[in-house]
Short mmCIF file of all heavy atoms in Angstrom, two decimals:
data_model
loop_
_atom_site.label_atom_id
_atom_site.label_comp_id
_atom_site.label_asym_id
_atom_site.label_seq_id
_atom_site.Cartn_x
_atom_site.Cartn_y
_atom_site.Cartn_z
N MET A 168 20.14 -16.24 -10.44
CA MET A 168 19.79 -17.12 -9.34
C MET A 168 19.30 -16.32 -8.13
O MET A 168 18.36 -16.73 -7.48
CB MET A 168 20.98 -17.99 -8.96
CG MET A 168 20.65 -18.92 -7.84
SD MET A 168 21.92 -20.13 -7.68
CE MET A 168 21.50 -20.75 -6.11
N SER A 169 19.94 -15.20 -7.84
CA SER A 169 19.51 -14.41 -6.68
C SER A 169 18.10 -13.85 -6.89
O SER A 169 17.36 -13.67 -5.93
CB SER A 169 20.49 -13.29 -6.39
OG SER A 169 20.50 -12.34 -7.43
N LYS A 170 17.71 -13.58 -8.15
CA LYS A 170 16.36 -13.10 -8.40
C LYS A 170 15.34 -14.17 -8.05
O LYS A 170 14.26 -13.88 -7.54
CB LYS A 170 16.19 -12.68 -9.86
CG LYS A 170 16.85 -11.38 -10.19
CD LYS A 170 16.54 -10.98 -11.61
CE LYS A 170 17.19 -9.66 -11.92
NZ LYS A 170 16.89 -9.21 -13.27
N ASP A 171 15.66 -15.44 -8.33
CA ASP A 171 14.75 -16.53 -8.00
C ASP A 171 14.55 -16.64 -6.49
O ASP A 171 13.44 -16.84 -6.02
CB ASP A 171 15.27 -17.87 -8.54
CG ASP A 171 15.26 -17.90 -10.07
OD1 ASP A 171 14.43 -17.19 -10.68
OD2 ASP A 171 16.09 -18.62 -10.64
N ILE A 172 15.63 -16.49 -5.74
CA ILE A 172 15.54 -16.57 -4.28
C ILE A 172 14.70 -15.41 -3.76
O ILE A 172 13.84 -15.58 -2.92
CB ILE A 172 16.94 -16.54 -3.64
CG1 ILE A 172 17.69 -17.83 -4.00
CG2 ILE A 172 16.85 -16.38 -2.12
CD1 ILE A 172 19.15 -17.81 -3.62
N ARG A 173 14.94 -14.21 -4.31
CA ARG A 173 14.20 -13.03 -3.88
C ARG A 173 12.71 -13.19 -4.16
O ARG A 173 11.88 -12.84 -3.35
CB ARG A 173 14.75 -11.79 -4.59
CG ARG A 173 14.71 -10.57 -3.74
CD ARG A 173 15.34 -9.35 -4.38
NE ARG A 173 16.68 -9.59 -4.86
CZ ARG A 173 17.14 -9.16 -6.04
NH1 ARG A 173 16.39 -8.45 -6.83
NH2 ARG A 173 18.37 -9.42 -6.42
N ARG A 174 12.38 -13.73 -5.32
CA ARG A 174 10.98 -13.92 -5.67
C ARG A 174 10.29 -14.91 -4.73
O ARG A 174 9.13 -14.74 -4.37
CB ARG A 174 10.85 -14.43 -7.11
CG ARG A 174 11.07 -13.35 -8.13
CD ARG A 174 10.77 -13.85 -9.52
NE ARG A 174 11.18 -12.86 -10.48
CZ ARG A 174 12.01 -13.07 -11.49
NH1 ARG A 174 12.50 -14.26 -11.70
NH2 ARG A 174 12.33 -12.11 -12.32
N LYS A 175 11.00 -15.94 -4.34
CA LYS A 175 10.40 -16.96 -3.48
C LYS A 175 10.23 -16.47 -2.05
O LYS A 175 9.36 -16.95 -1.33
CB LYS A 175 11.25 -18.24 -3.51
CG LYS A 175 11.18 -18.96 -4.83
CD LYS A 175 12.04 -20.18 -4.84
CE LYS A 175 12.01 -20.84 -6.22
NZ LYS A 175 12.90 -21.99 -6.29
N THR A 176 11.07 -15.53 -1.62
CA THR A 176 11.00 -15.06 -0.24
C THR A 176 10.21 -13.77 -0.09
O THR A 176 9.93 -13.35 1.01
CB THR A 176 12.41 -14.84 0.34
OG1 THR A 176 13.10 -13.89 -0.47
CG2 THR A 176 13.18 -16.14 0.39
N ARG A 177 9.84 -13.15 -1.18
CA ARG A 177 9.08 -11.90 -1.13
C ARG A 177 7.67 -12.17 -0.64
O ARG A 177 7.01 -13.09 -1.09
CB ARG A 177 9.04 -11.27 -2.51
CG ARG A 177 8.38 -9.91 -2.50
CD ARG A 177 8.40 -9.29 -3.86
NE ARG A 177 9.78 -9.04 -4.25
CZ ARG A 177 10.14 -8.72 -5.48
NH1 ARG A 177 9.25 -8.62 -6.42
NH2 ARG A 177 11.40 -8.50 -5.76
N LYS A 178 7.21 -11.36 0.29
CA LYS A 178 5.87 -11.54 0.83
C LYS A 178 4.86 -10.93 -0.13
O LYS A 178 5.06 -9.83 -0.66
CB LYS A 178 5.75 -10.86 2.19
CG LYS A 178 4.41 -11.07 2.84
CD LYS A 178 4.36 -10.51 4.23
CE LYS A 178 2.98 -10.73 4.80
NZ LYS A 178 2.82 -10.19 6.11
N CYS A 179 3.77 -11.61 -0.35
CA CYS A 179 2.70 -11.11 -1.20
C CYS A 179 1.60 -10.55 -0.31
O CYS A 179 1.16 -11.20 0.63
CB CYS A 179 2.14 -12.22 -2.08
SG CYS A 179 3.32 -12.83 -3.27
N TYR A 180 1.17 -9.34 -0.61
CA TYR A 180 0.11 -8.70 0.16
C TYR A 180 -1.17 -8.74 -0.64
O TYR A 180 -1.19 -8.44 -1.83
CB TYR A 180 0.48 -7.24 0.46
CG TYR A 180 1.63 -7.11 1.44
CD1 TYR A 180 2.94 -7.04 1.02
CD2 TYR A 180 1.37 -7.05 2.80
CE1 TYR A 180 3.98 -6.93 1.92
CE2 TYR A 180 2.41 -6.93 3.72
CZ TYR A 180 3.71 -6.88 3.27
OH TYR A 180 4.72 -6.77 4.16
N SER A 181 -2.26 -9.05 0.01
CA SER A 181 -3.56 -9.05 -0.65
C SER A 181 -4.02 -7.60 -0.82
O SER A 181 -3.49 -6.69 -0.17
CB SER A 181 -4.58 -9.82 0.18
OG SER A 181 -4.87 -9.13 1.37
N THR A 182 -4.99 -7.41 -1.66
CA THR A 182 -5.55 -6.08 -1.85
C THR A 182 -6.09 -5.54 -0.53
O THR A 182 -5.91 -4.36 -0.21
CB THR A 182 -6.68 -6.14 -2.91
OG1 THR A 182 -6.13 -6.66 -4.11
CG2 THR A 182 -7.27 -4.77 -3.16
N GLU A 183 -6.72 -6.39 0.24
CA GLU A 183 -7.27 -5.97 1.53
C GLU A 183 -6.17 -5.50 2.48
O GLU A 183 -6.34 -4.53 3.21
CB GLU A 183 -8.07 -7.11 2.17
CG GLU A 183 -9.37 -7.44 1.46
CD GLU A 183 -9.17 -8.32 0.22
OE1 GLU A 183 -8.09 -8.95 0.07
OE2 GLU A 183 -10.09 -8.36 -0.61
N ASP A 184 -5.03 -6.20 2.48
CA ASP A 184 -3.90 -5.80 3.32
C ASP A 184 -3.38 -4.43 2.91
O ASP A 184 -3.08 -3.58 3.75
CB ASP A 184 -2.75 -6.82 3.24
CG ASP A 184 -3.05 -8.10 3.97
OD1 ASP A 184 -3.89 -8.09 4.89
OD2 ASP A 184 -2.44 -9.13 3.61
N LYS A 185 -3.26 -4.22 1.60
CA LYS A 185 -2.76 -2.93 1.11
C LYS A 185 -3.69 -1.80 1.51
O LYS A 185 -3.26 -0.75 1.99
CB LYS A 185 -2.62 -2.97 -0.41
CG LYS A 185 -1.55 -3.93 -0.89
CD LYS A 185 -1.57 -4.02 -2.41
CE LYS A 185 -0.61 -5.07 -2.91
NZ LYS A 185 -0.67 -5.19 -4.38
N ILE A 186 -4.98 -2.01 1.36
CA ILE A 186 -5.97 -0.99 1.72
C ILE A 186 -5.95 -0.74 3.22
O ILE A 186 -6.00 0.41 3.67
CB ILE A 186 -7.37 -1.40 1.24
CG1 ILE A 186 -7.42 -1.38 -0.30
CG2 ILE A 186 -8.45 -0.49 1.83
CD1 ILE A 186 -8.67 -1.97 -0.89
N ARG A 187 -5.85 -1.79 4.00
CA ARG A 187 -5.82 -1.66 5.46
C ARG A 187 -4.66 -0.78 5.90
O ARG A 187 -4.82 0.11 6.76
CB ARG A 187 -5.70 -3.05 6.10
CG ARG A 187 -5.62 -3.03 7.61
CD ARG A 187 -5.44 -4.44 8.17
NE ARG A 187 -4.35 -5.19 7.57
CZ ARG A 187 -3.05 -5.01 7.87
NH1 ARG A 187 -2.69 -4.09 8.76
NH2 ARG A 187 -2.11 -5.74 7.29
N VAL A 188 -3.48 -0.98 5.31
CA VAL A 188 -2.30 -0.20 5.68
C VAL A 188 -2.47 1.27 5.27
O VAL A 188 -2.17 2.18 6.05
CB VAL A 188 -1.02 -0.81 5.06
CG1 VAL A 188 0.18 0.09 5.28
CG2 VAL A 188 -0.76 -2.19 5.63
N VAL A 189 -2.96 1.50 4.06
CA VAL A 189 -3.17 2.88 3.60
C VAL A 189 -4.19 3.58 4.49
O VAL A 189 -3.98 4.73 4.91
CB VAL A 189 -3.62 2.91 2.12
CG1 VAL A 189 -4.06 4.30 1.72
CG2 VAL A 189 -2.49 2.42 1.21
N LEU A 190 -5.27 2.92 4.83
CA LEU A 190 -6.30 3.54 5.68
C LEU A 190 -5.78 3.77 7.10
O LEU A 190 -6.13 4.78 7.72
CB LEU A 190 -7.56 2.67 5.71
CG LEU A 190 -8.35 2.63 4.40
CD1 LEU A 190 -9.53 1.68 4.52
CD2 LEU A 190 -8.79 4.02 3.98
N ALA A 191 -4.95 2.88 7.60
CA ALA A 191 -4.37 3.08 8.93
C ALA A 191 -3.55 4.35 8.95
O ALA A 191 -3.60 5.12 9.92
CB ALA A 191 -3.51 1.87 9.32
N ARG A 192 -2.81 4.60 7.90
CA ARG A 192 -2.02 5.83 7.83
C ARG A 192 -2.91 7.06 7.70
O ARG A 192 -2.66 8.09 8.33
CB ARG A 192 -1.03 5.77 6.67
CG ARG A 192 -0.23 7.02 6.48
CD ARG A 192 0.56 7.35 7.76
NE ARG A 192 1.02 8.73 7.69
CZ ARG A 192 0.87 9.61 8.66
NH1 ARG A 192 0.30 9.28 9.78
NH2 ARG A 192 1.30 10.83 8.52
N LEU A 193 -3.96 6.97 6.91
CA LEU A 193 -4.85 8.10 6.75
C LEU A 193 -5.56 8.45 8.06
O LEU A 193 -5.86 9.61 8.32
CB LEU A 193 -5.89 7.82 5.65
CG LEU A 193 -5.33 7.78 4.23
CD1 LEU A 193 -6.42 7.37 3.26
CD2 LEU A 193 -4.73 9.12 3.83
N ARG A 194 -5.81 7.44 8.89
CA ARG A 194 -6.41 7.69 10.20
C ARG A 194 -5.41 8.29 11.18
O ARG A 194 -5.80 8.81 12.22
CB ARG A 194 -6.97 6.38 10.78
CG ARG A 194 -8.26 5.93 10.12
CD ARG A 194 -8.89 4.79 10.87
NE ARG A 194 -8.08 3.60 10.89
CZ ARG A 194 -8.16 2.60 10.02
NH1 ARG A 194 -9.03 2.64 9.04
NH2 ARG A 194 -7.39 1.54 10.13
N GLY A 195 -4.12 8.20 10.86
CA GLY A 195 -3.09 8.80 11.70
C GLY A 195 -2.77 8.00 12.94
O GLY A 195 -2.32 8.56 13.93
N GLU A 196 -3.01 6.70 12.91
CA GLU A 196 -2.76 5.86 14.09
C GLU A 196 -1.27 5.81 14.45
O GLU A 196 -0.93 5.82 15.62
CB GLU A 196 -3.30 4.45 13.84
CG GLU A 196 -4.80 4.42 13.67
CD GLU A 196 -5.32 3.07 13.20
OE1 GLU A 196 -4.51 2.19 12.87
OE2 GLU A 196 -6.55 2.92 13.17
N ASP A 197 -0.42 5.72 13.46
CA ASP A 197 1.03 5.66 13.66
C ASP A 197 1.72 6.52 12.62
O ASP A 197 1.11 6.89 11.61
CB ASP A 197 1.55 4.21 13.52
CG ASP A 197 1.14 3.32 14.67
OD1 ASP A 197 1.23 3.78 15.83
OD2 ASP A 197 0.75 2.17 14.42
N SER A 198 2.99 6.80 12.85
CA SER A 198 3.77 7.50 11.83
C SER A 198 4.00 6.55 10.66
O SER A 198 3.86 5.32 10.80
CB SER A 198 5.12 7.94 12.40
OG SER A 198 5.93 6.81 12.65
N ILE A 199 4.35 7.11 9.52
CA ILE A 199 4.60 6.27 8.35
C ILE A 199 5.76 5.32 8.64
O ILE A 199 5.70 4.14 8.31
CB ILE A 199 4.88 7.13 7.10
CG1 ILE A 199 3.61 7.87 6.71
CG2 ILE A 199 5.39 6.28 5.95
CD1 ILE A 199 3.78 8.84 5.57
N ALA A 200 6.80 5.82 9.27
CA ALA A 200 7.97 4.98 9.58
C ALA A 200 7.57 3.80 10.46
O ALA A 200 7.96 2.66 10.20
CB ALA A 200 9.05 5.81 10.25
N GLU A 201 6.80 4.08 11.50
CA GLU A 201 6.38 3.02 12.42
C GLU A 201 5.47 2.02 11.73
O GLU A 201 5.61 0.80 11.88
CB GLU A 201 5.68 3.61 13.65
CG GLU A 201 5.24 2.59 14.66
CD GLU A 201 6.38 1.78 15.25
OE1 GLU A 201 7.51 2.30 15.33
OE2 GLU A 201 6.14 0.61 15.62
N LEU A 202 4.53 2.51 10.96
CA LEU A 202 3.60 1.64 10.24
C LEU A 202 4.35 0.72 9.26
O LEU A 202 4.09 -0.48 9.20
CB LEU A 202 2.58 2.49 9.49
CG LEU A 202 1.45 1.77 8.79
CD1 LEU A 202 0.59 1.01 9.80
CD2 LEU A 202 0.60 2.77 8.02
N CYS A 203 5.30 1.29 8.54
CA CYS A 203 6.07 0.50 7.58
C CYS A 203 6.93 -0.54 8.29
O CYS A 203 7.08 -1.66 7.82
CB CYS A 203 6.93 1.41 6.71
SG CYS A 203 5.96 2.41 5.56
N ARG A 204 7.49 -0.17 9.42
CA ARG A 204 8.28 -1.13 10.22
C ARG A 204 7.40 -2.28 10.68
O ARG A 204 7.77 -3.44 10.58
CB ARG A 204 8.88 -0.41 11.42
CG ARG A 204 10.35 -0.57 11.56
CD ARG A 204 10.95 0.03 12.82
NE ARG A 204 10.29 1.18 13.41
CZ ARG A 204 10.52 2.45 13.09
NH1 ARG A 204 11.40 2.75 12.16
NH2 ARG A 204 9.88 3.43 13.71
N GLN A 205 6.21 -1.98 11.17
CA GLN A 205 5.29 -3.01 11.65
C GLN A 205 4.87 -3.95 10.52
O GLN A 205 4.73 -5.15 10.73
CB GLN A 205 4.04 -2.37 12.25
CG GLN A 205 4.26 -1.66 13.54
CD GLN A 205 3.03 -0.88 13.98
OE1 GLN A 205 2.01 -0.84 13.30
NE2 GLN A 205 3.14 -0.23 15.14
N GLU A 206 4.66 -3.39 9.34
CA GLU A 206 4.17 -4.18 8.21
C GLU A 206 5.30 -4.81 7.39
O GLU A 206 5.05 -5.65 6.54
CB GLU A 206 3.31 -3.31 7.29
CG GLU A 206 2.05 -2.80 7.95
CD GLU A 206 1.08 -3.92 8.29
OE1 GLU A 206 1.04 -4.95 7.60
OE2 GLU A 206 0.32 -3.75 9.27
N GLY A 207 6.52 -4.37 7.62
CA GLY A 207 7.66 -4.92 6.89
C GLY A 207 7.72 -4.45 5.45
O GLY A 207 8.10 -5.21 4.55
N ILE A 208 7.33 -3.19 5.21
CA ILE A 208 7.40 -2.64 3.86
C ILE A 208 8.26 -1.39 3.85
O ILE A 208 8.47 -0.75 4.89
CB ILE A 208 5.99 -2.31 3.30
CG1 ILE A 208 5.28 -1.27 4.16
CG2 ILE A 208 5.16 -3.56 3.15
CD1 ILE A 208 3.97 -0.78 3.60
N LEU A 209 8.76 -1.03 2.68
CA LEU A 209 9.54 0.18 2.53
C LEU A 209 8.62 1.38 2.46
O LEU A 209 7.50 1.29 1.97
CB LEU A 209 10.38 0.11 1.26
CG LEU A 209 11.42 -1.00 1.19
CD1 LEU A 209 12.05 -1.05 -0.19
CD2 LEU A 209 12.48 -0.80 2.25
N GLN A 210 9.11 2.51 2.96
CA GLN A 210 8.29 3.72 2.95
C GLN A 210 7.93 4.13 1.53
O GLN A 210 6.82 4.59 1.27
CB GLN A 210 9.01 4.86 3.66
CG GLN A 210 9.07 4.66 5.16
CD GLN A 210 9.67 5.84 5.87
OE1 GLN A 210 9.60 6.98 5.41
NE2 GLN A 210 10.29 5.58 7.02
N GLY A 211 8.86 3.97 0.58
CA GLY A 211 8.58 4.31 -0.81
C GLY A 211 7.43 3.49 -1.37
O GLY A 211 6.60 4.01 -2.12
N LEU A 212 7.37 2.23 -0.98
CA LEU A 212 6.27 1.37 -1.43
C LEU A 212 4.95 1.86 -0.84
O LEU A 212 3.92 1.90 -1.51
CB LEU A 212 6.53 -0.08 -1.02
CG LEU A 212 5.47 -1.10 -1.40
CD1 LEU A 212 5.27 -1.14 -2.91
CD2 LEU A 212 5.85 -2.47 -0.88
N HIS A 213 4.99 2.27 0.41
CA HIS A 213 3.78 2.79 1.05
C HIS A 213 3.28 4.04 0.32
O HIS A 213 2.09 4.17 0.05
CB HIS A 213 4.03 3.11 2.52
CG HIS A 213 2.86 3.80 3.16
ND1 HIS A 213 1.70 3.14 3.45
CD2 HIS A 213 2.68 5.10 3.49
CE1 HIS A 213 0.83 4.02 3.97
NE2 HIS A 213 1.41 5.20 4.00
N TYR A 214 4.20 4.95 -0.01
CA TYR A 214 3.80 6.16 -0.72
C TYR A 214 3.22 5.83 -2.09
O TYR A 214 2.24 6.43 -2.51
CB TYR A 214 4.98 7.13 -0.86
CG TYR A 214 5.33 7.84 0.42
CD1 TYR A 214 6.54 7.63 1.06
CD2 TYR A 214 4.44 8.74 1.00
CE1 TYR A 214 6.87 8.29 2.23
CE2 TYR A 214 4.76 9.42 2.18
CZ TYR A 214 5.97 9.17 2.78
OH TYR A 214 6.28 9.83 3.95
N SER A 215 3.79 4.87 -2.77
CA SER A 215 3.27 4.46 -4.08
C SER A 215 1.86 3.91 -3.95
O SER A 215 0.97 4.27 -4.74
CB SER A 215 4.17 3.38 -4.71
OG SER A 215 5.45 3.88 -4.95
N ARG A 216 1.65 3.05 -2.98
CA ARG A 216 0.32 2.48 -2.77
C ARG A 216 -0.69 3.55 -2.37
O ARG A 216 -1.83 3.53 -2.83
CB ARG A 216 0.38 1.39 -1.70
CG ARG A 216 1.07 0.14 -2.16
CD ARG A 216 1.12 -0.87 -1.04
NE ARG A 216 1.81 -2.08 -1.45
CZ ARG A 216 2.15 -3.04 -0.61
NH1 ARG A 216 1.87 -2.93 0.67
NH2 ARG A 216 2.77 -4.12 -1.04
N SER A 217 -0.26 4.48 -1.54
CA SER A 217 -1.16 5.56 -1.12
C SER A 217 -1.58 6.41 -2.31
O SER A 217 -2.75 6.76 -2.46
CB SER A 217 -0.48 6.45 -0.08
OG SER A 217 -0.27 5.74 1.11
N ASN A 218 -0.61 6.74 -3.16
CA ASN A 218 -0.92 7.55 -4.34
C ASN A 218 -1.86 6.81 -5.28
O ASN A 218 -2.81 7.40 -5.81
CB ASN A 218 0.36 7.95 -5.07
CG ASN A 218 1.15 8.98 -4.31
OD1 ASN A 218 0.61 9.72 -3.50
ND2 ASN A 218 2.44 9.04 -4.57
N GLU A 219 -1.64 5.51 -5.48
CA GLU A 219 -2.52 4.72 -6.33
C GLU A 219 -3.94 4.69 -5.75
O GLU A 219 -4.92 4.82 -6.48
CB GLU A 219 -2.00 3.28 -6.46
CG GLU A 219 -0.77 3.15 -7.31
CD GLU A 219 -0.24 1.72 -7.32
OE1 GLU A 219 -1.00 0.77 -7.04
OE2 GLU A 219 0.96 1.56 -7.61
N PHE A 220 -4.02 4.52 -4.46
CA PHE A 220 -5.31 4.47 -3.77
C PHE A 220 -6.08 5.79 -3.95
O PHE A 220 -7.25 5.80 -4.29
CB PHE A 220 -5.06 4.18 -2.28
CG PHE A 220 -6.30 4.09 -1.45
CD1 PHE A 220 -7.04 2.91 -1.40
CD2 PHE A 220 -6.72 5.16 -0.68
CE1 PHE A 220 -8.17 2.82 -0.61
CE2 PHE A 220 -7.85 5.07 0.11
CZ PHE A 220 -8.59 3.90 0.14
N LEU A 221 -5.39 6.90 -3.73
CA LEU A 221 -6.02 8.20 -3.84
C LEU A 221 -6.41 8.52 -5.29
O LEU A 221 -7.48 9.08 -5.54
CB LEU A 221 -5.12 9.29 -3.28
CG LEU A 221 -4.87 9.19 -1.76
CD1 LEU A 221 -3.82 10.20 -1.33
CD2 LEU A 221 -6.15 9.37 -0.99
N GLU A 222 -5.57 8.16 -6.24
CA GLU A 222 -5.89 8.40 -7.65
C GLU A 222 -7.10 7.57 -8.09
O GLU A 222 -7.95 8.05 -8.82
CB GLU A 222 -4.68 8.08 -8.54
CG GLU A 222 -3.59 9.11 -8.47
CD GLU A 222 -4.05 10.50 -8.86
OE1 GLU A 222 -4.77 10.65 -9.88
OE2 GLU A 222 -3.70 11.45 -8.14
N ALA A 223 -7.17 6.33 -7.62
CA ALA A 223 -8.32 5.48 -7.95
C ALA A 223 -9.60 6.08 -7.37
O ALA A 223 -10.65 6.07 -8.02
CB ALA A 223 -8.11 4.06 -7.42
N GLY A 224 -9.50 6.64 -6.17
CA GLY A 224 -10.66 7.28 -5.55
C GLY A 224 -11.10 8.50 -6.33
O GLY A 224 -12.29 8.73 -6.55
N LYS A 225 -10.15 9.30 -6.79
CA LYS A 225 -10.47 10.48 -7.59
C LYS A 225 -11.17 10.09 -8.88
O LYS A 225 -12.17 10.69 -9.27
CB LYS A 225 -9.20 11.26 -7.92
CG LYS A 225 -8.61 12.04 -6.79
CD LYS A 225 -7.36 12.76 -7.27
CE LYS A 225 -6.53 13.27 -6.14
NZ LYS A 225 -5.28 13.88 -6.62
N LYS A 226 -10.63 9.07 -9.56
CA LYS A 226 -11.22 8.62 -10.82
C LYS A 226 -12.64 8.12 -10.60
O LYS A 226 -13.54 8.37 -11.40
CB LYS A 226 -10.36 7.53 -11.45
CG LYS A 226 -9.06 8.04 -12.01
CD LYS A 226 -8.23 6.93 -12.59
CE LYS A 226 -6.89 7.46 -13.07
NZ LYS A 226 -6.02 6.40 -13.55
N ARG A 227 -12.85 7.42 -9.51
CA ARG A 227 -14.18 6.89 -9.21
C ARG A 227 -15.16 8.02 -8.94
O ARG A 227 -16.29 8.00 -9.40
CB ARG A 227 -14.09 5.95 -8.00
CG ARG A 227 -15.40 5.38 -7.58
CD ARG A 227 -15.96 4.44 -8.62
NE ARG A 227 -17.23 3.94 -8.13
CZ ARG A 227 -18.25 3.67 -8.89
NH1 ARG A 227 -18.15 3.78 -10.19
NH2 ARG A 227 -19.37 3.23 -8.38
N LEU A 228 -14.73 9.02 -8.20
CA LEU A 228 -15.61 10.15 -7.90
C LEU A 228 -15.95 10.94 -9.16
O LEU A 228 -17.08 11.38 -9.34
CB LEU A 228 -14.97 11.06 -6.86
CG LEU A 228 -14.92 10.50 -5.44
CD1 LEU A 228 -14.12 11.43 -4.54
CD2 LEU A 228 -16.30 10.27 -4.89
N VAL A 229 -14.99 11.12 -10.02
CA VAL A 229 -15.24 11.82 -11.29
C VAL A 229 -16.23 11.01 -12.12
O VAL A 229 -17.15 11.57 -12.72
CB VAL A 229 -13.93 12.06 -12.06
CG1 VAL A 229 -14.20 12.53 -13.47
CG2 VAL A 229 -13.07 13.07 -11.33
N GLY A 230 -16.08 9.70 -12.13
CA GLY A 230 -17.00 8.83 -12.86
C GLY A 230 -18.39 8.89 -12.30
O GLY A 230 -19.38 8.87 -13.05
N ASP A 231 -18.52 9.00 -10.99
CA ASP A 231 -19.84 9.07 -10.35
C ASP A 231 -20.58 10.36 -10.72
O ASP A 231 -21.78 10.35 -10.94
CB ASP A 231 -19.73 8.97 -8.83
CG ASP A 231 -19.52 7.55 -8.34
OD1 ASP A 231 -19.74 6.62 -9.14
OD2 ASP A 231 -19.15 7.39 -7.18
N THR A 232 -19.85 11.47 -10.78
CA THR A 232 -20.51 12.74 -11.08
C THR A 232 -20.82 12.87 -12.56
O THR A 232 -21.68 13.66 -12.93
CB THR A 232 -19.64 13.94 -10.61
OG1 THR A 232 -18.39 13.87 -11.29
CG2 THR A 232 -19.45 13.90 -9.12
N ALA A 233 -20.17 12.10 -13.40
CA ALA A 233 -20.39 12.20 -14.84
C ALA A 233 -21.61 11.41 -15.27
O ALA A 233 -22.07 11.53 -16.40
CB ALA A 233 -19.16 11.70 -15.59
N ARG A 234 -22.18 10.60 -14.40
CA ARG A 234 -23.33 9.77 -14.79
C ARG A 234 -24.53 10.55 -15.09
O ARG A 234 -25.09 11.41 -14.81
CB ARG A 234 -23.66 8.77 -13.68
CG ARG A 234 -22.65 7.68 -13.61
CD ARG A 234 -23.11 6.68 -12.59
NE ARG A 234 -21.96 5.85 -12.23
CZ ARG A 234 -21.98 4.95 -11.30
NH1 ARG A 234 -23.08 4.75 -10.59
NH2 ARG A 234 -20.94 4.25 -11.02
#
């Protein structure tokens, strides 16, 4: 039952929101702690999203040079 409540109250972030937060950190506007507090996300989640973002960029660049 508690999982159902958690699922209903969990905020869903769009892809654009996730990218916006990762790019804000890369620009160095705020510390990771402050940015996560403002966005209401855990720092671990931010690091996971950042790593996914950077890995996707690497894969895309490798694909571009292989053409």
Side-chain angles (χ1 to χ4, degrees):
M168 181 168 166
S169 66
K170 285 185 179 182
D171 293 333
I172 293 171
R173 214 176 308 137
R174 284 187 189 125
K175 290 179 184 177
T176 58
R177 185 177 296 168
K178 183 175 179 182
C179 294
Y180 291 90
S181 68
T182 303
E183 291 80 16
D184 287 336
K185 293 174 186 178
I186 293 170
R187 179 183 51 78
V188 172
V189 170
L190 290 177
R192 177 58 195 131
L193 290 174
R194 285 190 297 267
E196 296 171 353
D197 289 317
S198 68
I199 292 175
E201 181 61 29
L202 186 62
C203 291
R204 234 185 331 272
Q205 290 172 358
E206 296 294 330
I208 60 174
L209 297 173
Q210 288 185 28
L212 179 59
H213 173 73
Y214 285 115
S215 297
R216 289 178 181 170
S217 293
N218 288 337
E219 288 176 22
F220 181 82
L221 294 173
E222 286 301 315
K225 286 180 194 175
K226 288 178 184 176
R227 178 67 180 146
L228 289 174
V229 169
D231 282 345
T232 60
R234 287 185 197 175

